[in-house]
Amino acid sequence: MQPTNRRFDLRERTRHAHDKVDHLVGEWKTRADYTDYLQSIHLFRSRYEAALTGLAMPSCFGSWSMGRAADAAARDLADLGARRLPSADRAVLETDTSSLLGTLYVLEGSGLGARLLCQRALALGLTADSGARHLFLLAGRVEAWRAFGAILEEAPGYDAGRAARAAERAFGDAALAFSGAFADA
């Protein structure tokens, strides 16, 4: 699927922040590395999914709904006998359409990266049924990502600056989670 104009623009505007998160996720060579990743992604997803729960989505979203992976990540942590990091407050969100699109660009876009991460998890002996549920759940949302891309492209009144700021904030929060900043708070 070729990137839409808005999606391509959003990707370019947030490239540095996205690259920082990718760097912090790093390579997993051991289950301990994966467990560190899992604790961080659970913390990040939990904050955002809690903030989005019950939020009335703008009409341009139609029946589309975001992928929720925090509960699956919690089950993955339990599979590995790992503790959850203490939960921080809900993420702070701007709820105008453009800002929601920027935030959801980060959350839904994680499914693209999850495809690669599934292969790494399998190499560690983790599966869709044990230890890596959240990755396989996100990686399986290809059609939802395409539908989101259409919403992003067609949303009325789209403000690229607001969308980019919201995406940057979400990437920044992900970076904080992966660097341990939320766990230390």
Side-chain angles (χ1 to χ4, degrees):
M1 176 176 156
Q2 289 294 329
T4 62
N5 290 335
R6 288 178 180 176
R7 190 165 52 113
F8 180 76
D9 178 64
L10 197 49
R11 183 177 71 196
E12 289 305 310
R13 288 174 181 246
T14 61
R15 181 175 300 281
H16 178 73
H18 189 178
D19 289 348
K20 181 176 181 177
V21 171
D22 284 348
H23 175 76
L24 288 167
V25 168
E27 299 281 329
W28 318 319
K29 303 215 184 293
T30 66
R31 280 193 178 208
D33 294 340
Y34 176 76
T35 299
D36 290 343
Y37 154 82
L38 186 55
Q39 289 172 318
S40 299
I41 197 67
H42 176 260
L43 182 60
F44 170 70
R45 297 282 315 195
S46 294
R47 293 185 73 241
Y48 273 83
E49 289 177 25
L52 289 160
T53 297
L55 185 65
M57 298 302 274
S59 62
C60 64
F61 283 84
S63 63
W64 181 88
S65 62
M66 75 169 220
R68 296 188 176 270
D71 288 345
R75 288 192 305 277
D76 292 338
L77 285 166
D79 290 341
L80 299 176
R83 68 178 179 87
R84 293 186 201 182
L85 296 176
S87 185
D89 293 334
R90 292 178 179 202
V92 176
L93 302 177
E94 297 292 328
T95 58
D96 61 277
T97 300
S98 297
S99 295
L100 285 172
L101 286 165
T103 298
L104 291 167
Y105 167 81
V106 174
L107 294 171
E108 281 301 307
S110 67
L112 300 175
R115 289 193 206 156
L116 170 66
L117 299 181
C118 284
Q119 298 308 310
R120 292 185 196 169
L122 287 169
L124 294 174
L126 305 166
T127 68
D129 297 320
S130 181
R133 286 175 189 84
H134 80 286
L135 287 173
F136 285 89
L137 182 151
L138 291 171
R141 291 184 50 82
V142 174
E143 290 305 315
W145 173 248
R146 287 184 181 130
F148 175 77
I151 294 165
L152 176 61
E153 189 62 25
E154 298 166 9
Y158 179 76
D159 181 321
R162 290 187 70 80
R165 283 189 297 278
E168 289 269 349
R169 187 179 314 104
F171 279 128
D173 282 350
L176 288 172
F178 284 106
S179 67
F182 287 136
D184 297 336

